[in-house]
Amino acid sequence: MIYDIIDSKELLGRLQGINGWIEENKSHIGNANMYEIMACMIARNNIRLLEGKNELLDAEVERMIELRKDSIEEFQEDVPSSKKLFEAVRNGLTGSSREEMEYICKAESVPFFINNTRRRGFDGDITMGLEAQTSRAIPGFNHDNRGEVGFLVEKYENSSDNVKEASYPVVNWTINNSIDEIKMMTSISPIETGYSK
């Protein structure tokens, strides 16, 4: 996983490669890969903890966000609760374990999938024409993957307070936008801390 990379040169190469691919394919693939973006930011944050600030890594992370700006902004507008975790990670939040880093990535990517499915179907892309998006949209879609929601709930409960506070809004949104069976059997409680990133 990208978040396992702790060598700044290796990560820089990976980020440049990802951004190059995005640029080459942006005419027909415009959706943000939220899992990958979160993993890249986490990796950058981990290196920042080891080596200090790295302007080259910061620039590539911001370039990635800019390249997927339309998709990210649409997601955050539709699902405002996604913004807190995204911005916390963008500003330096990381996981204290591999499991926590995986949780952070999925906490953003699962609701992104739900929202995108509602807007343009299971594999629709933001670059598709409006008519194609509308014809494939499933506005009433609710998430039905019990295992995925179960993973989010379990990892939420085992996360550090900072990660819990940042991720609560979006994970709670995911639960509330799942099928009734999941909603009725699943819940998480917010944590009260002073984390403000």
Side-chain angles (χ1 to χ4, degrees), residues 21-30 67-68 125 127:
W21 184 91
I22 292 171
E23 286 182 329
E24 288 171 17
N25 294 281
K26 67 182 176 183
S27 65
H28 61 282
I29 302 174
L67 286 168
R68 292 302 192 212
D125 190 82
T127 60

Side-chain angles (χ1 to χ4, degrees), residues 56-67:
L56 294 174
L57 292 178
D58 290 344
E60 287 301 320
V61 165
E62 291 305 313
R63 182 172 157 226
M64 185 179 296
I65 294 167
E66 182 63 29
L67 286 168

Side-chain angles (χ1 to χ4, degrees), residues 36-73:
E36 184 175 67
I37 291 170
M38 297 299 283
C40 289
M41 290 195 294
I42 289 170
R44 183 271 316 264
N45 297 346
N46 290 338
I47 288 174
R48 198 182 265 175
L49 291 173
L50 294 170
E51 301 176 8
K53 196 165 176 157
N54 183 316
E55 290 182 12
L56 294 174
L57 292 178
D58 290 344
E60 287 301 320
V61 165
E62 291 305 313
R63 182 172 157 226
M64 185 179 296
I65 294 167
E66 182 63 29
L67 286 168
R68 292 302 192 212
K69 179 181 177 184
D70 292 345
S71 181
I72 293 168
E73 287 180 354

Side-chain angles (χ1 to χ4, degrees), residues 102-143:
E102 180 73 8
Y103 161 73
I104 291 168
C105 295
K106 287 190 174 182
E108 283 287 297
S109 62
V110 172
F112 182 90
F113 166 77
I114 296 168
N115 189 63
N116 192 64
T117 301
R118 289 176 174 176
R119 277 189 165 262
R120 51 189 66 93
F122 290 113
D123 58 356
D125 190 82
I126 196 170
T127 60
M128 295 167 39
L130 188 56
E131 187 176 315
Q133 291 184 44
T134 304
S135 69
R136 298 167 64 134
I138 309 171
F141 176 75
N142 283 321
H143 199 52

